[in-house]
Amino acid sequence: MKPLGPIPPHFHSQGADLLIAGRPARDWAQAHGTPLFVYEAGAVRARVAQLRAALPARVRLHYAVKANPFGPLLALLAELVDGFDIASAGELALLKARGIDPARAGFAGPGKRDAEIAAALAAGVTLHCESAREVERALALGAAAGHRPKLAIRVNPDFDLRGSGMKMGGGARPFGVDAENVPPLARRIVASGADWRGLHIYAGSQALDAQAVIATQAATLDLAARLAGEAGVPLPALNLGGGFGIPYFPGDTPLDLAAVGSALAARLADLPPVLHDTQLTVELGRYLVGEAGVYLAQVVERKESRGEVFLVTDGGLHHQLAASGNFGTVVRRNYPLAIATRMDVPATEIASVVGCLCTPLDRLADKAALPRGQEGDLVAVFCAGAYGATASPAAFLGHGPASEILAETPVDRAG
Amino acid sequence: MKPLGPIPPHFHSQGADLLIAGRPARDWAQAHGTPLFVYEAGAVRARVAQLRAALPARVRLHYAVKANPFGPLLALLAELVDGFDIASAGELALLKARGIDPARAGFAGPGKRDAEIAAALAAGVTLHCESAREVERALALGAAAGHRPKLAIRVNPDFDLRGSGMKMGGGARPFGVDAENVPPLARRIVASGADWRGLHIYAGSQALDAQAVIATQAATLDLAARLAGEAGVPLPALNLGGGFGIPYFPGDTPLDLAAVGSALAARLADLPPVLHDTQLTVELGRYLVGEAGVYLAQVVERKESRGEVFLVTDGGLHHQLAASGNFGTVVRRNYPLAIATRMDVPATEIASVVGCLCTPLDRLADKAALPRGQEGDLVAVFCAGAYGATASPAAFLGHGPASEILAETPVDRAG
């Protein structure tokens, strides 16, 4: 038996039914078919409220579109957060399609093409330049188009986020400008007459250890102050990165957000003068939407093979690559998962939940303790709100993409 | 320094230029943009010719659509192979869209929905049933629609393909009917009046060791004969599976196809009576198209960070997940890769080739010995013809899918 990850605590059930946004999972499946991603609008609002309560008021919140670019979710977040971070001209187009002002967005990414830079500058996006060469390309493209480019420097710090699921800084990296090369480049931008927008320092992602996040934020503020001081330029804005993790796996515990917030408040009370007027932003993707999402798949067949039970579903790794253990993980562990139509029954057997793809990689739960599942039951994979639908090979084997919905909790049933 | 995989030997260069289907890579990139998959029609034809020469004439060739469902490639293969294997109703629709007769196709896959089974039966596809339950569903759906279903049994053998990159048989599996349960199910199908189409035994994939393939084919023939004998039914057809691998990584050597063919010929000369009239099929995907494909991406920037060189391209893991080491591999190794516009220059530096995605996972070559690459150069990732475009998260970060073309070698330049 292999344990399952922890189900996010805001999910409840009613009799046999898992409730999603106040309605039984089977209702969503009947209305929209399976496989289906359901994103709870209420959970996103609650998470933003937690962040606003915990973090100093001065800190702005950005949403990293890459985590989940589903249009209705972007529209919801536009009402809740202060800005967006995008990683491509495609993501810029998604913001525009939802009527979101691109001037609220920053654009980071190591391989920006000329056409992408030009589109971003024309739309008023702040370009987070990843290299001196990119600064020159942006200045030239801005001059050619008659725009005054909004330019920040993405910094490759000389530290990383301890315990991070994904290290983005420290050592040699394709991301950002090595910290030691930032001061002359900052002066170059200021001297060029561009709209200097400061620094972006992203050291890592998916950390559950508050002390690691606190240490990284402190190091980020120190580094930013030092670089601005060395450059002799003001620092209008600083993107502190993100890195707030969510619990996916057995034994994971939630990030202590209150601890992060109070440490940051203490630090902000004692900033060096160069940071006094700096606009500070925390950039979050997964932390805002990851736990709000559930992926529902239907059991097509219950199968027994040589003493093992398989629940074969109509979903799979083509929608949930990370949950299958095939994206950025070395050792496969089980995501949180439940039989959404058997919530009132205890686990009585060991079963593996697999997808409909003809590959042994397609496994949503491996040897998990579950209630006895049958044809027609629904399986819920939790923590499916981020890096799910768009971070999976949707065209693989021709089953096509899953449906997605943003679900509002009915007012009369909201708790 | 980490070595690169072996470039397939049919690729050549002309001066600085890698030739693809007889034309410089930069011509393809100019005509179709980057990132771009180019599939050489000639290489596919040559591979099929090698197979026809090496395998006994009695053995039919099928193409497994999942390896690469690009429409023009399907149309080409329709002229070259004897049939197709599909894994979803989506793949069935792709065959129909190219005017390929679905009666030439078999449909295997562990999670077939009722709608998929009905569509397949209506189109005359042979259903490779993965369980007794699926047989009953197919019989009921066929009866309801007034079709006589063409049914085969996919067998979960009691052995696997030694040295296989992906084991599909042996032990408990979600795929196929455990061998020991096949005889009564075969009798059930025959008794039902359905069109009994025999067995499908797929033990594994991506094997480079001819002796392993030979042993598996022998075991497959033995098992099929034994099961048919025990069932007391004729065996009209047997899909022997595939498993022929291609060299991806440093040290990999090509499968000895001649050895496989001669061993199979010897075995066919000495078959038990129950297999005398059996239609035998080998099902190949990757082996037919993998080495025919090249993925071209353009260097957006040459970047140095703390002593390391990065060639940042406009491509990445959103098109080439397996090459990035993030799909079904535990230890990342380098695919074959070259700077397609510097073929006349020796390797003079160690560089990593990365994609444009903002994640450290997005690496196409890690610390490889390469000629000095510059902005505007083209990078070629080889062995990109199978499990590339559709087996990657094309929507991730909003850059969109790559272009794909099937390239014919101009007659006047063909060697």
Side-chain angles (χ1 to χ4, degrees), chain A residues 39 43 84 88 96 130 145 170 182 196 244 266 273 276 280 353 370 386 403:
Chain A
Y39 310 117
F84 291 85
S88 66
K96 287 182 178 173
E130 307 266 348
V182 167
W196 162 239
F244 297 15
H276 278 180
L280 298 175
V353 179
L370 291 171
S403 301

Side-chain angles (χ1 to χ4, degrees), chain A residues 157 159-161 164 166-169 201-205 216 220 240-242:
Chain A
F159 54 85
D160 61 28
L161 172 54
S164 166
M166 194 87 76
K167 293 188 197 307
M168 305 287 283
I201 305 180
Y202 199 105
S205 69
T216 294
T220 299
L240 289 162

Side-chain angles (χ1 to χ4, degrees), chain B residues 342-360:
Chain B
R342 307 260 177 192
M343 300 300 286
D344 56 345
V345 183
T348 53
E349 68 177 12
I350 306 301
S352 293
V353 179
V354 302
C356 58
L357 303 192
C358 212
T359 162

Side-chain angles (χ1 to χ4, degrees), chain A residues 37 293-297 320 323 335-338 353 364-365 379-385:
Chain A
F37 286 93
V294 182
Y295 175 67
L296 293 175
Q320 274 291 344
Y335 266 43
L337 175 147
V353 179
L364 296 172
V379 167
V381 180
F382 299 91
C383 295

Side-chain angles (χ1 to χ4, degrees), chain B residues 131-157:
Chain B
S131 67
R133 174 71 185 129
E134 190 178 308
V135 168
E136 297 307 323
R137 290 167 61 214
L139 290 173
L141 289 162
H147 302 301
R148 182 179 180 221
K150 291 160 70 176
L151 302 184
I153 298 174
R154 170 129 177 231
V155 181
N156 176 20

Side-chain angles (χ1 to χ4, degrees), chain B residues 265-291:
Chain B
R267 191 73 185 70
L268 297 193
D270 186 32
L271 285 182
V274 70
L275 293 178
H276 278 181
D277 298 321
T278 303
Q279 188 183 74
L280 299 175
T281 297
V282 167
E283 168 188 353
L284 300 170
R286 186 195 314 268
Y287 195 73
L288 289 178
V289 298
E291 290 168 291

Side-chain angles (χ1 to χ4, degrees), chain B residues 88-354:
Chain B
S88 67
E91 291 186 351
L92 170 59
L94 292 177
L95 293 186
K96 286 181 177 173
R98 290 285 155 177
I100 298 169
D101 182 3
R104 296 172 65 186
F107 178 8
K112 302 184 191 83
R113 282 162 287 185
D114 282 352
E116 291 188 295
I117 292 173
L121 296 181
V125 172
T126 298
L127 209 67
H128 295 232
C129 297
E130 306 267 347
S131 67
R133 174 71 185 129
E134 190 178 308
V135 168
E136 297 307 323
R137 290 167 61 214
L139 290 173
L141 289 162
H147 302 301
R148 182 179 180 221
K150 291 160 70 176
L151 302 184
I153 298 174
R154 170 129 177 231
V155 181
N156 176 20
D158 39 17
F159 54 85
D160 63 27
L161 171 53
R162 182 164 50 82
S164 166
M166 195 86 77
K167 292 189 195 310
M168 307 286 283
R173 298 276 163 190
F175 312 113
V177 177
D178 293 344
E180 50 275 27
N181 299 328
V182 167
L185 188 59
R187 286 193 293 269
R188 162 69 180 134
I189 292 174
V190 171
S192 75
D195 185 359
W196 162 240
R197 300 304 306 146
L199 302 175
H200 178 191
I201 305 180
Y202 199 105
S205 69
Q206 180 52 22
L208 293 171
D209 175 358
Q211 294 310 315
V213 172
I214 290 166
T216 294
Q217 290 185 335
T220 300
L221 289 162
D222 287 348
L223 177 61
R226 178 164 63 79
L227 294 175
E230 285 177 27
V233 300
L235 197 62
L238 171 63
N239 180 325
L240 289 161
F244 297 14
I246 64 173
Y248 282 103
F249 300 117
D252 282 359
T253 52
L255 178 69
D256 185 345
L257 187 61
V260 171
S262 59
L264 187 57
R267 191 73 185 70
L268 297 193
D270 186 32
L271 285 182
V274 70
L275 293 178
H276 278 181
D277 298 321
T278 303
Q279 188 183 74
L280 299 175
T281 297
V282 167
E283 168 188 353
L284 300 170
R286 186 195 314 268
Y287 195 73
L288 289 178
V289 298
E291 290 168 291
V294 182
Y295 175 67
L296 293 175
Q298 189 168 40
V299 177
V300 176
E301 190 170 312
R302 175 192 172 83
K303 182 163 180 179
E304 302 191 16
S305 169
R306 297 182 180 141
E308 291 189 22
V309 175
F310 297 92
L311 301 177
V312 183
T313 70
D314 61 3
L317 69 76
H318 51 311
H319 306 142
Q320 274 289 345
L321 185 61
S324 79
N326 287 292
F327 199 42
T329 46
V330 175
V331 178
R332 192 202 176 289
R333 290 180 293 170
N334 284 324
Y335 266 43
L337 175 148
I339 300 184
T341 41
R342 307 260 177 192
M343 300 300 286
D344 56 345
V345 183
T348 53
E349 68 177 12
I350 306 301
S352 293
V353 179
V354 302

Side-chain angles (χ1 to χ4, degrees), chain A:
Chain A
M1 198 267 283
K2 297 180 184 170
L4 292 164
I7 296 176
H10 66 274
F11 286 102
H12 302 285
S13 53
Q14 187 175 62
D17 294 307
L18 174 72
L19 298 181
I20 307 174
R23 288 176 57 191
R26 72 179 81 205
D27 288 5
W28 295 115
Q30 265 166 19
H32 301 276
T34 56
L36 172 68
F37 286 93
V38 187
Y39 310 117
E40 285 192 339
V44 176
R45 286 196 193 90
R47 178 49 57 90
V48 172
Q50 286 164 16
L51 283 158
R52 296 290 191 194
L55 298 179
R58 174 177 171 184
V59 174
R60 294 157 48 92
L61 280 183
H62 271 208
Y63 176 62
V65 173
K66 62 169 75 70
N68 189 333
F70 182 55
L73 198 57
L74 295 181
L76 171 66
L77 283 156
E79 300 167 10
L80 300 174
V81 300
D82 305 301
F84 291 85
D85 285 291
I86 59 174
S88 66
E91 291 187 351
L92 170 59
L94 293 176
L95 292 186
K96 287 182 178 173
R98 291 285 154 177
I100 298 168
D101 181 3
R104 297 172 65 187
F107 178 9
K112 301 184 192 84
R113 283 161 288 185
D114 282 352
E116 291 187 296
I117 292 173
L121 297 181
V125 173
T126 298
L127 209 68
H128 295 233
C129 297
E130 307 266 348
S131 67
R133 173 72 186 129
E134 192 177 310
V135 168
E136 298 307 324
R137 290 167 62 213
L139 290 174
L141 288 162
H147 303 300
R148 184 178 178 222
K150 291 161 70 177
L151 302 184
I153 297 174
R154 169 129 176 232
V155 181
N156 175 20
D158 40 17
F159 54 85
D160 61 28
L161 172 54
R162 183 163 50 83
S164 166
M166 194 87 76
K167 293 188 197 307
M168 305 287 283
R173 298 277 163 190
F175 311 113
V177 177
D178 294 343
E180 51 274 29
N181 299 326
V182 167
L185 188 60
R187 285 192 294 269
R188 163 69 180 135
I189 293 175
V190 171
S192 75
D195 185 0
W196 162 239
R197 299 304 306 147
L199 303 175
H200 179 190
I201 305 180
Y202 199 105
S205 69
Q206 180 51 22
L208 293 172
D209 176 358
Q211 293 310 314
V213 172
I214 290 167
T216 294
Q217 289 184 336
T220 299
L221 289 162
D222 287 348
L223 177 61
R226 179 164 63 79
L227 294 176
E230 285 178 25
V233 300
L235 198 62
L238 170 62
N239 181 324
L240 289 162
F244 297 15
I246 64 173
Y248 281 104
F249 300 117
D252 283 358
T253 52
L255 177 69
D256 184 346
L257 188 60
V260 171
S262 58
L264 187 57
R267 190 73 183 70
L268 296 193
D270 185 32
L271 285 182
V274 69
L275 293 178
H276 278 180
D277 299 321
T278 302
Q279 188 184 74
L280 298 175
T281 298
V282 166
E283 168 188 353
L284 300 169
R286 184 196 316 269
Y287 195 73
L288 290 177
V289 299
E291 289 168 290
V294 182
Y295 175 67
L296 293 175
Q298 190 169 41
V299 177
V300 176
E301 190 169 312
R302 176 191 171 84
K303 182 162 180 180
E304 302 191 15
S305 168
R306 296 182 181 140
E308 292 188 22
V309 175
F310 297 91
L311 301 177
V312 183
T313 70
D314 61 3
L317 70 76
H318 51 312
H319 306 143
Q320 274 291 344
L321 185 62
S324 79
N326 287 292
F327 199 42
T329 47
V330 175
V331 178
R332 191 200 177 290
R333 291 180 293 171
N334 284 326
Y335 266 43
L337 175 147
I339 300 185
T341 41
R342 307 260 176 194
M343 300 300 287
D344 56 344
V345 184
T348 54
E349 67 178 13
I350 306 301
S352 293
V353 179
V354 302
C356 58
L357 303 192
C358 213
T359 161
L361 300 176
D362 193 12
R363 192 163 288 216
L364 296 172
D366 189 38
K367 299 186 175 64
L370 291 171
R372 185 183 169 90
Q374 296 286 4
E375 216 173 289
D377 273 323
L378 292 174
V379 167
V381 180
F382 299 91
C383 295
Y387 302 109
T390 58
S392 302
F396 195 38
L397 269 66
H399 291 281
S403 301
E404 297 178 90
I405 52 165
L406 179 70
E408 288 287 354
T409 307
V411 172
D412 62 316
R413 299 176 82 163

